[in-house]
Amino acid sequence: MKNPKLVVVSAGLSEPSSTRLLADRLAEATSRDLAAGARPAAEARVVELRDLATEIAHNMVTGFPGAALREALEAVAGADGVIAVTPVFSASYSGLFKSFFDVLGNLDNTALHGKPVLAAATGGTARHSLALEHALRPLFAYLRAVVVPTAVYAAPEDWGAGGDGRTDGLGERIDRAAGELAALIAGTTAAGEEAAGADGEFADVVPFADQLAALRVD
């Protein structure tokens, strides 16, 4: 049973960053849920887009990714699940966030096909929370990813605060979204292992065309 590969894409610009903090909490909760389901511990990797900003800009002009950017793109393409977190600017994802996934799509437009993705965002006001639904979810739907039902948004007042009678607190939303992502990752990796096992079971079977060729009389 292999260790699931979890890649966290964080588009935070400052250090420390509330975007990175939300990304880390989502990754921890997802890893915890995977372990609770008797799966091996997730191999988590964080891709900080701030560190790749120059290479992303060069790639947009030249079409050729640098070594660090290519490694990050390959990590996302090879992941069993992705957590993608962006700050919200002008009621949408950041340009850096969008540029990274544009580069990914240009390099390999099947990289996210069928891949479980948890979308999340941070912003200065709760009014921007709808960016998750009108910007992030359509982006990943276009890339044919499987986006978990619960998207997580964190405004300044959400940190350390509970919910009310109509809304869960940030901790509850993180746990629910992480549980959904962990369930999809577990299902995807289990299906892959079953397929690999089936291939191994019939590895010694001679194809029918080869059997016919062996019977042919010269």
Side-chain angles (χ1 to χ4, degrees), residues 25-26 29 32-33 170-180:
R25 288 189 59 180
L26 288 165
R32 186 172 60 246
D33 279 3
L170 179 59
E172 288 79 9
R173 299 200 303 275
I174 287 173
D175 288 342
R176 185 167 67 249
E180 293 166 356

Side-chain angles (χ1 to χ4, degrees), residues 1 48 63 75 93 101 109 137 139 149 156 159 165 169 177 198 208:
M1 189 178 294
E48 278 282 11
Y93 35 62
F101 285 102
N109 62 10
R137 196 176 293 277
L139 169 66
W159 298 101
F208 185 60

Side-chain angles (χ1 to χ4, degrees), residues 45 58 63 76-77 90 123 133 147-148 157 181 189 197 200 204 212 218:
R45 169 174 177 176
H58 285 169
V76 172
S90 302
E133 303 304 326
V147 188
V148 304
E157 60 268 25
L181 180 61
T189 54
D204 296 330
L212 288 177
D218 294 330

